[in-house]
Amino acid sequence: MKIIVTGGAGFIGGNFIHHMVNKYPQYQIICLDALTYAGNMETLKSVMEKPNFKFIKGDIADREFVYGLFEDEKPDIIVNFAAESHVDRSIDDPEVFLKTNYIGTGVLLDACRKYGIKRYHQVSTDEVYGDLPLDRTDLFFTEETPLHTSSPYSASKAAADLLVQAYHRTFGIPVTISRCSNNYGPYHFPEKLIPLIIANCLNEKPLPVYGKGENVRDWLYVEDHCRAIDLIIHDGRVGEVYNIGGHNERTNLQVVKTIIHALGKSEDLITYVTDRLGHDMRYAIDPTKIKNELGWEPTTLFDEGIKKTIQWYLDNKSWWENIISGEYQKYYDKMYVGR
Ligand code: NAD
Ligand code: DAU
């Protein structure tokens, strides 16, 4: 079995590659990644020498390159993680989100059509469903919830999902789609809430909380997401969408305070800043389908997962200190100074 994992030098793709390379020594795992600001070869350091792993640099939206890769490698499965993934960046500058998330997905699908594929898996997000009200804790996203997006990021991901489904219906490409809630864990880029708060706490810097910090996210430890995708590509039904989430809802303020207390810092570091435009209030996944069909359940609850994550950031300071000392500082100043 030969699997091309796109976006594997990023957060979730990197964790997925570790999972697959170690679990399936008989498979060939190829990482295709453009190494944007979010891609990091350090994330793949421990698998680079493994005989069943290969890294290839390239852009999923580059048609000639992608066709050449399919011709050379003849993959059995594509797992597409490659994306621009940060909502705030999509509000600042949407264009590259359309190029990578929509056009890039289209190029991969065309390559599957031209060269054949046993399975194309699209890694999507619960953000395609929009948001739920804070006062209706009885509501959850199911696979039947209509797509209703809020940000250029989520709109580009929803558009890609529709394209994947269209290629299944029109051309018979054997596809699956997963829509997961917020991930956290090792190798999470420090522009996102949890690693940003951990890094700022450790550096005694202000902790920027958007609005009142009341927005709710449904946090999933990244290894649980990787296990779910592993199950879907092996046993998921072709043409189906699977929601992935573990009923670990927390307000942003709860998350920030949990990190502050775990690191023995002061709540005085919390700084309320101007809210994100179009900010989704609450995400919450109903994972009944994947549980009933594939027997998947999350194994790491938030209270345990956040401790493991904080410990990882303490043990791997060089990984994130390298990031925040470079170009990232310009991004941080643009987004947060005077906000
Ligand atoms: P990330 O930003 O950490 O990593 C994205 C990776 O894609 C990087 O390595 C980057 O270099 C690569 N990439 C970007 N553009 C590319 C291109 N044109 N060609 C090839 N590679 C390219 O993202 P992440 O948080 O790991 O998210 C991965 C996927 O999972 C995304 O599709 C995202 O929409 C989805 N997702 C993320 C979450 C989350 O909580 N982070 C939750 C649900 C779904
Ligand atoms: O739900 C899945 C999605 O989760 C993925 O599709 C996205 O790729 C991923 O980035 C994530 O999106 P969010 O916007 O939910 O994640 P983020 O970490 O950016 O923000 C989490 C919450 O914290 C959100 O309500 C905004 C808030 N926030 C974020 C940052 C970066 C703050 O209050 N302060 C911050 O500095």
Side-chain angles (χ1 to χ4, degrees):
M1 187 76 80
K2 194 181 266 194
I3 305 182
I4 293 184
V5 178
T6 72
F11 164 45
I12 310 175
N15 277 281
F16 183 71
I17 282 180
H18 290 153
H19 170 91
M20 296 298 286
V21 166
N22 292 317
K23 183 169 171 192
Y24 299 105
Q26 73 279 25
Y27 287 8
Q28 281 299 310
I29 308 292
I30 298 172
C31 172
L32 162 61
D33 198 294
L35 295 179
T36 68
Y37 81 91
N40 189 343
M41 290 306 286
E42 282 296 304
T43 297
L44 296 173
K45 204 168 155 190
S46 70
V47 292
M48 283 307 280
E49 301 303 321
K50 300 263 183 181
N52 61 338
F53 178 72
K54 181 157 85 177
F55 177 83
I56 296 174
K57 185 173 180 219
D59 183 343
I60 59 163
D62 179 341
R63 190 172 291 273
E64 204 179 319
F65 163 77
V66 169
Y67 284 9
L69 182 68
F70 271 66
E71 219 163 286
D72 291 346
E73 299 292 349
K74 302 179 179 51
D76 298 296
I77 297 180
I78 302 294
V79 183
N80 182 27
F81 288 92
E84 289 293 331
S85 69
H86 191 32
V87 172
D88 292 328
R89 288 187 193 253
S90 82
I91 295 167
D92 186 50
D93 188 3
E95 192 176 349
V96 68
F97 285 75
L98 308 188
K99 183 161 181 250
T100 291
N101 300 2
Y102 185 63
I103 304 288
T105 297
V107 168
L108 291 173
L109 289 166
D110 279 339
C112 291
R113 202 180 148 206
K114 188 170 160 76
Y115 296 98
I117 201 76
K118 292 198 179 100
R119 177 68 64 87
Y120 174 90
H121 182 74
Q122 177 75 358
V123 180
S124 185
T125 166
D126 61 357
E127 294 201 18
V128 300
Y129 299 122
D131 63 353
L132 297 164
L134 287 181
D135 61 356
R136 290 293 308 275
T137 49
D138 56 316
L139 296 179
F140 295 90
F141 297 136
T142 73
E143 289 79 1
E144 308 308 321
T145 303
L147 304 191
H148 187 79
T149 56
S150 310
S151 70
Y153 161 70
S154 56
S156 68
K157 292 294 291 185
D161 283 14
L162 293 175
L163 201 60
V164 172
Q165 287 171 321
Y167 271 61
H168 172 59
R169 175 157 175 165
T170 304
F171 304 118
I173 308 289
V175 307
T176 38
I177 297 176
S178 53
R179 297 184 179 141
C180 189
S181 59
N182 284 63
N183 283 216
Y184 67 105
Y187 304 109
H188 202 179
F189 194 86
E191 66 190 348
K192 308 283 170 58
L193 180 71
I194 287 181
L196 185 148
I197 296 297
I198 296 172
N200 281 17
C201 254
L202 290 171
N203 289 328
E204 304 271 349
K205 285 179 65 176
L207 310 177
V209 171
Y210 298 171
K212 294 184 187 156
E214 289 172 338
N215 307 62
V216 170
R217 296 294 183 265
D218 184 0
W219 293 98
L220 187 72
Y221 195 63
V222 63
E223 278 173 18
D224 281 327
H225 187 185
C226 296
R227 267 194 314 109
I229 294 174
D230 178 358
L231 277 172
I232 294 169
I233 60 176
H234 286 98
D235 301 322
R237 283 185 297 135
V238 164
E240 293 293 315
V241 174
Y242 292 92
N243 282 356
I244 309 171
H247 293 304
N248 279 280
E249 291 178 45
R250 296 286 187 285
T251 67
N252 292 339
L253 210 48
Q254 283 173 324
V255 169
V256 171
K257 286 186 180 174
T258 303
I259 296 170
I260 291 174
H261 297 153
L263 288 171
K265 303 291 177 178
S266 163
E267 288 189 10
D268 292 343
L269 287 173
I270 294 174
T271 310
Y272 293 94
V273 301
T274 308
D275 209 350
R276 172 184 281 174
L277 294 174
H279 198 171
D280 281 335
M281 289 312 300
R282 170 174 170 254
Y283 303 145
I285 285 274
D286 175 354
T288 306
K289 180 174 175 179
I290 189 165
K291 183 178 177 203
N292 288 350
E293 281 192 22
L294 301 177
W296 178 89
E297 278 189 288
T299 56
T300 304
L301 297 181
F302 186 75
D303 292 340
E304 181 199 345
I306 194 70
K307 279 190 202 137
K308 285 207 286 192
T309 303
I310 292 171
Q311 195 55 49
W312 188 88
Y313 280 83
L314 286 168
D315 294 342
N316 293 275
K317 276 191 173 171
S318 64
W319 183 88
W320 57 270
E321 281 178 344
N322 273 345
I323 294 171
I324 64 172
S325 64
E327 271 297 301
Y328 176 84
Q329 205 50 54
K330 283 188 201 146
Y331 161 83
Y332 194 89
D333 291 348
K334 183 176 177 193
M335 294 306 221
Y336 293 99
V337 171
R339 181 168 181 164

